[in-house]
């Protein structure tokens, strides 16, 4: 790893154009992409055509709805190619900008290759474990009646797991690939126009978002259609379509597994470099953020890409995949209980309830594309006072997306969820979707209120810095704790409202009992994620803008250019915090669905009803206690990993300042590659322990001596504790960061003041909160839910 990171010559620092280290000693492009590049273009085109033909043939043999989903996904991929060409057609600016960008790209791609190499080895090992468990497990009555034996079931689950892991890794690479190429183009555009810089950052984020969401939808649809055709679903003596979604849980687990380690490793990397750079550079030496004299600055900028872009791409991919699969399972279960039968073309069919999530996310790709393209460039002077607030522009695009999402969601429910057994049920489910969309919008607003320095909470936090470091920390922690209240109230109202709307939809089982409540909650979750592609676009905008600001500072552009990138960076901090709040809210609803799916699966294996978990039983209560403890221990290990790695960076930066005194006078050049190597190797080492804790805990607690009910309690308590902890960590960290940004605008003494130094301390404390432990938690709670689904047979 060190060899990858430290190669490159360091010339005299004062020479122009400045040169930055080339940290690539061999190709960092993943093997699968290197192999594709070697194939003749015409042959590759023919292979793609054959692949698409096979996909559409399987889709047509399954359902016309699958063909619709495939078509929308492929169109979205073509649209993302257009966005890529548009972004890459922009100029990279002067040579010193391009050299800095190349150094960032080399560092990011080198770490990605090494990190995902480690993750792939762990995934293969876990796949063998899953194969062993499934070969010796019992089978459900449904599987026995359809002729699916242990061997077939084992290979189906392992194949789905590996495909989910592969797609999650590709999603992460796509997120990073565009960010390391767009950052310098945003920097260059900021020299001309603030609006042009904004548009490039948004379209670069849009490319990543469309690919990630499209891959999640396409992956689930291909698996569903393949299993449908291969197993002869709904033919005499074979599996019913309502049981098919349970075969997809391995896909969600694979996506969660990769996302957790990507988020952990990337989060440790980016925050260790950031903390190390700030503590020595800003606090001890008094030099600006992203100053080229700081040896840790390249590592910090690399971290934005591997922590915020690659990890978030894998994260959102996992969120959408898990939500789709859980909703399909619940839709199939409800359709079976209500005895909804018939071929797909009839008005009474079970497939509509199962395929509904895929249709919703297909429309998500359409409406989010409209929102992305609604943000257009205009001619402006490039002066901050003369331009429109970037947050207002982004919110306008979000409003367009929301309005279209409401309309398309209503269309989807009428199209897919109409049944003669309850003619008005589709309208109730449309209202459930509206509840989810409103929840997403309110979550975005709450997060902005607590993290944007235009609002009172962050300004009060900044004011607390005027009395010292301690008061800043106290105020930030109290703000984070307070910020959990409103989101929890909103989630509670959403779950109860959606459950009630589903419960009163008119769908009843054979005994006449209403059965639509849980599916109503699933529809609300889909409503919340019906604008996921646009929200991911706003999230990707943040690290791209942050990198652009760093490139501008390191290449010593005029102050007016830095002012533009500072405004974009501050908005990016808010959009990143907003996305994390959005992800936590969706994780809360999705985990509720996965929990219900787990109880249904246990009931199928045990041949007993499993609808309640009695926490008055000592073992069950202990399981819940262990679930809550898991959240706190995981968070502690994640934050401690950042602290330990940051200490190594601080020591290295101090050593360079002492041994190379000419650095401060621009007479000597810092060794950037050394800091990159330190954080890369340390983050890979540190991500193993908390990740292993997350995987081993439910398996250990679910040992047959304790059983499925204890695992259910653990899952329930961990979900509740994880939601609250993630809200606290993400909001507190985002507020600390923007309080520092607010002071840097000139308020309360501005840069270099004692107030600013206290705010830097708060931002340093908040870094592992908002970018390592916090975003890892919502991945953790969904992974706990998917691993219990996959491992359910061994808990009985």
């Amino acid at each position: 790893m060190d060899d990858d990171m430290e190669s490159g010559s360091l010339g005299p620092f004062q020479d122009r154009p400045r040169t930055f280290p080339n940290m690539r000693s061999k190709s960092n492009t993943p093997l699968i992409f290197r192999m594709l590049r070697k194939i003749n273009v015409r042959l590759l085109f023919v292979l793609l055509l054959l692949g698409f033909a096979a996909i559409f043939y399987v889709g047509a043999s399954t359902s016309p709805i699958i063909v619709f989903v495939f078509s929308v996904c492929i169109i979205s991929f073509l649209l993302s190619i257009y966005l890529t060409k548009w972004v890459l057609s922009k100029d990279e600016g002067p040579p010193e900008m391009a050299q800095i960008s190349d150094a960032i790209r080399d560092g990011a791609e080198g770490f990605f290759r090494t990190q995902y190499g480690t993750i792939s080895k762990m995934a293969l090992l876990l796949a063998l474990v899953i194969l062993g468990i499934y070969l010796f497990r019992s089978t459900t009555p449904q599987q026995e009646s359809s002729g699916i034996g242990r061997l077939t079931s084992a290979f189906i689950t392992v194949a789905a797991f590996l495909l989910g892991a592969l797609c999650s890794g590709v999603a992460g690479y796509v997120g990073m690939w565009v960010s390391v190429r767009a950052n310098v183009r945003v920097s260059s555009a900021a020299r001309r126009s603030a609006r042009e810089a904004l548009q490039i950052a948004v379209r670069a984020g849009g490319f990543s978002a469309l690919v990630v969401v499209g891959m999640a939808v396409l992956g689930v649809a291909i698996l569903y259609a393949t299993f449908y055709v291969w197993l002869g679903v709904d033919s005499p003596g074979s599996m019913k379509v309502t049981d098919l979604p349970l075969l997809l849980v391995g896909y969600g687990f694979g996506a969660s597994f990769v996302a957790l380690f990507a988020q952990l490793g990337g989060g440790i990397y980016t925050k260790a470099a950031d903390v190390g750079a700030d503590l020595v550079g800003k606090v001890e030496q008094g030099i600006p953020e992203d100053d080229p004299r700081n040896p840790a600055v390249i590592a910090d900028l690399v971290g934005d890409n591997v922590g915020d872009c690659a990890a978030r791409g894998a994260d959102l991919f996992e969120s959408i995949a898990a939500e789709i699969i859980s909703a399909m399972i619940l839709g199939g279960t409800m359709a079976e209980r209500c005895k909804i039968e018939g071929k797909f073309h009839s008005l009474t069919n079970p497939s509509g309830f199962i395929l509904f999530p895929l249709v919703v996310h297909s429309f998500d790709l359409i409406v989010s594309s409209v929102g992305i393209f609604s943000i257009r460039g205009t001619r402006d002077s490039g002066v901050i006072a003369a331009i429109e607030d970037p947050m207002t522009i982004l919110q306008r695009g979000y409003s367009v997306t929301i309005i279209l999402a409401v309309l398309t969601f209503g269309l989807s429910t009428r199209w897919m969820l109409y049944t003669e057994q309850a003619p008005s049920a589709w309208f109730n489910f449309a209202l459930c979707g509206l509840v989810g969309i409103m929840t997403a919008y309110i979550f975005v607003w709450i997060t902005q209120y607590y993290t944007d320095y235009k609002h009172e909470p962050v300004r009060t936090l900044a004011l607390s810095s005027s009395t010292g470091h301690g008061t800043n920390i106290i105020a930030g922690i109290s703000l984070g704790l307070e910020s959990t209240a409103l989101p929890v109230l909103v989630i509670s109202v959403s779950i109860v409202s959606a459950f009630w709307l589903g419960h009163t939809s008119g769908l009843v089982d054979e005994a006449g009992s209403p059965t639509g409540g849980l599916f109503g909650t699933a529809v609300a979750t889909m409503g919340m994620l019906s604008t996921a592609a646009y929200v991911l676009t706003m999230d990707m905008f943040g690290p791209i803008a942050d990198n652009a600001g760093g490139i501008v500072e390191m290449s010593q552009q005029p102050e007016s250019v830095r002012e533009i990138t500072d405004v974009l960076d501050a908005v990016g901090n808010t959009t990143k915090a907003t996305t994390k709040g959005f992800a936590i809210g969706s994780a809360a609803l999705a985990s509720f669905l996965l929990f219900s799916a787990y109880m249904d699966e246990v009931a199928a294996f045990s041949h007993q009803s499993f609808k309640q978990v009695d926490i008055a039983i000592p073992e069950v209560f202990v399981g819940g206690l262990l679930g809550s403890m898991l959240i706190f221990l995981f968070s502690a290990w994640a934050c401690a990993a950042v602290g330990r790695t940051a200490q190594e960076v601080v020591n290295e930066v101090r050593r360079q300042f002492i041994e190379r005194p000419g650095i401060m006078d621009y007479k000597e050049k810092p060794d950037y590659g050394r800091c990159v190597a330190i954080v890369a190797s340390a983050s890979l080492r540190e991500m193993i322990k908390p990740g292993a804790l997350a995987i081993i805990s439910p398996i250990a607690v679910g040992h047959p001596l304790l059983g499925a009910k204890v695992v259910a309690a653990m899952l329930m308590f961990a979900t509740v504790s994880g939601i609250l902890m993630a809200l606290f960590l993400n909001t507190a960290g985002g507020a600390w960061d923007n309080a520092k940004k607010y002071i840097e605008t000139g308020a309360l003494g501005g840069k270099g003041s004692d107030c600013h130094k206290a705010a830097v301390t708060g931002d340093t404390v908040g870094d592992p909160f908002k970018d390592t432990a916090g975003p890892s938690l919502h991945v953790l709670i969904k992974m706990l839910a998917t691993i219990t689904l996959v491992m359910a047979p061994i808990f009985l």
Side-chain angles (χ1 to χ4, degrees):
M1 186 69 200
D2 290 5
D3 293 336
D4 290 341
M5 297 299 176
E6 293 188 79
S7 62
S9 62
L10 300 174
F13 190 69
Q14 67 269 31
D15 287 354
R16 285 193 179 264
R18 295 189 185 90
T19 56
F20 290 84
N22 172 21
M23 288 172 281
R24 177 186 300 166
S25 60
K26 54 185 173 181
S27 175
N28 291 323
T29 307
L31 178 63
I32 186 171
F33 292 103
R34 294 205 303 272
M35 291 172 63
L36 288 174
R37 282 181 184 177
K38 292 179 181 178
I39 300 175
N40 180 275
V41 175
R42 291 182 180 177
L43 178 60
L44 185 61
F45 182 71
V46 171
L47 290 174
L48 284 173
L49 282 180
L50 290 173
F52 287 147
I55 287 172
F56 277 100
Y57 173 77
V58 173
S61 304
T62 306
S63 160
I65 298 302
I66 293 290
V67 175
F68 168 77
V69 172
F70 286 165
S71 302
V72 172
C73 290
I74 289 170
I75 291 169
S76 74
F77 291 152
L78 295 175
L79 200 57
S80 67
I81 292 171
Y82 166 77
L83 289 174
T84 309
K85 289 188 173 181
W86 186 89
V87 170
L88 295 181
S89 69
K90 302 298 178 180
D91 71 285
E92 295 186 352
E96 56 266 29
M97 276 190 175
Q99 289 160 3
I100 299 164
S101 175
D102 287 345
I104 295 168
R105 181 166 71 244
D106 291 346
E109 291 183 344
F111 175 73
F112 182 92
R113 179 177 55 80
T114 309
Q115 181 194 28
Y116 275 75
T118 304
I119 293 172
S120 62
K121 291 172 188 173
M122 293 189 292
L124 288 172
L125 180 63
L126 186 57
L128 292 175
V129 172
I130 295 171
L131 181 64
I133 289 171
Y134 270 64
L135 285 175
F136 296 100
R137 70 166 203 168
S138 59
T139 53
T140 64
Q142 293 91 337
Q143 289 172 335
E144 290 171 0
S145 63
S146 59
I148 296 180
R150 292 180 182 178
L151 188 63
T152 304
S153 179
F155 280 108
I156 283 175
T157 305
V158 169
F161 170 80
L162 291 175
L163 181 63
L166 175 65
C167 290
S168 185
V170 172
Y173 183 74
V174 164
M176 186 204 67
W177 187 91
V178 68
S179 68
V180 296
R181 287 162 177 79
N183 51 14
V184 69
R185 290 167 170 83
V186 174
S187 302
S188 178
R191 298 179 304 147
R192 300 184 296 271
S193 159
R195 186 65 177 260
E196 184 186 351
L198 172 70
Q199 188 184 21
I200 293 172
V202 168
R203 290 198 169 188
F207 157 76
S208 178
L210 292 177
V211 172
V212 168
V213 176
M215 278 181 54
V217 176
L218 189 64
V220 175
I222 288 175
L223 266 186
Y224 178 90
T226 303
F227 291 158
Y228 187 96
V229 173
W230 177 39
L231 299 174
V233 173
D234 273 349
S235 58
S238 64
M239 176 181 277
K240 293 181 181 178
V241 72
T242 50
D243 298 323
L244 181 56
L246 268 175
L247 298 179
L248 307 177
V249 293
Y251 185 83
F253 181 34
S256 299
F257 176 83
V258 171
L260 181 68
F261 282 99
Q263 189 68 68
L264 269 173
I268 293 167
Y269 186 111
T270 183
K271 289 304 109 180
D274 195 0
V275 169
D278 284 355
L279 285 178
V280 185
K282 286 185 181 179
V283 178
E284 294 182 9
Q285 299 294 332
I287 58 178
E289 184 173 7
D290 299 326
D291 191 289
R293 292 170 289 180
N294 193 328
V297 71
I298 290 285
D300 183 10
L301 295 172
V302 168
D304 291 332
N305 296 287
V306 298
D308 288 332
C309 293
R312 197 75 73 249
D315 177 2
L316 262 291
F317 175 90
E318 175 268 339
S319 292
I320 293 165
E323 174 265 331
I324 288 175
I325 292 167
S326 59
M328 291 174 81
I329 291 171
L330 290 174
T333 302
M334 189 190 70
E336 187 174 17
R337 287 176 181 167
C338 297
K339 299 298 180 187
I340 297 174
E341 296 175 349
K343 296 295 181 184
F344 190 83
H345 55 75
S346 73
L347 291 176
T348 307
N349 62 80
S351 296
F353 290 88
I354 297 168
L355 298 178
F356 178 62
L358 295 174
V359 171
V360 168
H361 282 293
S362 298
F363 279 119
D364 169 22
L365 290 167
I366 296 170
V367 301
S368 295
S369 299
V370 175
I372 292 165
F373 280 95
S374 71
I375 299 175
R376 307 183 66 83
T378 58
R379 297 179 182 273
D380 61 50
S381 62
V383 180
I384 293 299
I387 68 168
E388 192 175 0
D389 178 15
M391 196 70 209
T392 303
I393 299 169
L394 291 173
Q395 284 177 326
R396 190 181 302 141
Y398 186 48
S399 298
V400 169
T401 309
I402 285 279
I403 292 168
L404 292 174
V406 171
L407 297 175
T408 56
F409 205 94
L411 173 65
S412 301
T413 50
R414 179 62 180 83
W415 179 22
M416 303 294 291
L417 302 183
Y418 179 83
T419 172
E420 292 174 345
Q421 290 177 230
S424 63
W426 72 270
F427 184 72
N428 279 47
F429 291 129
L431 292 178
C432 291
L434 186 60
V435 167
I437 293 171
M438 289 172 60
T439 302
Y441 192 83
I442 294 169
F443 252 84
V444 168
W445 181 85
I446 291 171
T447 310
Q448 285 177 6
Y449 174 73
Y450 278 108
T451 57
D452 195 329
Y453 63 60
K454 296 192 195 80
H455 302 294
E456 191 64 26
V458 173
R459 295 198 173 203
T460 303
L461 176 57
L463 185 61
S464 71
S465 304
S466 61
T467 52
H469 301 252
T471 49
N472 171 279
I473 300 300
I474 293 168
I477 289 174
S478 62
L479 183 150
L481 292 170
E482 179 191 316
S483 70
T484 62
L486 284 176
V488 167
L489 291 174
V490 171
I491 291 172
S492 303
V493 170
S494 301
I495 290 176
V496 172
S497 302
F499 190 91
W500 179 82
L501 285 167
H503 194 70
T504 57
S505 64
L507 289 170
V508 294
D509 60 16
E510 290 179 293
S513 303
T515 60
L518 276 177
F519 188 69
T521 311
V523 174
T525 309
M526 285 180 273
M528 191 168 185
L529 284 169
S530 62
T531 55
Y534 189 85
V535 173
L536 180 57
T537 299
M538 291 198 297
D539 183 74
M540 291 290 183
F541 164 85
I544 292 171
D546 194 353
N547 258 213
I551 292 171
V552 166
E553 180 70 40
M554 291 193 73
S555 60
Q556 298 186 350
Q557 299 299 309
E559 188 63 27
S560 60
V561 180
R562 180 70 204 198
E563 286 175 1
I564 289 175
T565 55
D566 278 348
V567 169
L568 295 178
D569 186 15
V571 170
N573 283 336
T574 304
T575 58
K576 285 191 291 184
T578 297
T579 309
K580 289 164 191 167
F582 174 86
I584 294 164
S586 64
L589 294 175
S591 296
F592 179 69
L593 305 182
L594 288 164
F595 180 75
S596 303
Y598 166 73
M599 295 179 79
D600 285 342
E601 187 177 13
V602 169
F605 278 108
S606 62
H607 314 294
Q608 301 176 38
S609 177
F610 184 32
K611 296 185 178 180
Q612 295 178 343
V613 179
D614 187 356
I615 61 171
I617 300 171
E619 293 90 339
V620 176
F621 180 78
V622 167
L625 208 54
L626 290 172
S628 296
M629 177 272 289
L630 170 64
I631 297 299
F632 283 82
L633 186 58
F634 178 89
S635 302
W637 285 358
C639 290
V642 173
R644 283 191 296 271
T645 308
Q647 286 173 4
E648 294 184 43
V649 177
V650 167
N651 291 333
E652 172 61 22
V653 175
R654 283 175 178 167
R655 181 191 66 79
Q656 291 197 35
F657 279 132
I658 292 169
E659 295 180 4
R660 301 183 183 190
I663 288 176
M664 292 301 292
D665 299 324
Y666 295 97
K667 293 177 181 176
E668 287 186 86
K669 189 163 186 180
D671 185 353
Y672 301 109
R674 180 62 189 153
C675 287
V676 171
I678 287 171
V679 289
S681 58
S683 57
L684 290 174
R685 182 178 67 248
E686 296 282 359
M687 75 178 184
I688 302 296
K689 189 166 74 168
L693 174 74
I695 294 167
I696 294 170
S697 295
I699 298 174
V701 171
H703 188 275
L705 291 175
L706 296 176
K709 291 186 178 179
V710 179
V711 174
M714 181 186 190
L715 187 57
M716 188 189 305
F717 280 61
T719 300
V720 171
S721 302
I723 291 164
L724 291 170
M725 180 67 87
L727 286 169
F728 161 65
L729 294 173
N730 285 330
T731 310
W736 266 316
D737 196 347
N738 270 351
K740 178 198 69 175
K741 295 280 188 220
Y742 176 60
I743 294 170
E744 288 175 349
T745 63
L748 302 170
K751 291 182 180 180
S753 64
D754 289 339
C755 187
H756 181 239
K757 289 180 180 178
V760 170
T761 300
D763 178 37
T764 303
V765 174
D767 276 339
F769 280 28
K770 68 181 174 67
D771 285 323
T772 307
S776 297
L777 281 175
H778 67 261
V779 183
L780 171 65
I781 59 178
K782 281 177 289 186
M783 198 191 76
L784 289 174
T786 52
I787 196 172
T788 51
L789 267 174
V790 171
M791 301 294 184
I794 68 170
F795 301 152
L796 303 175

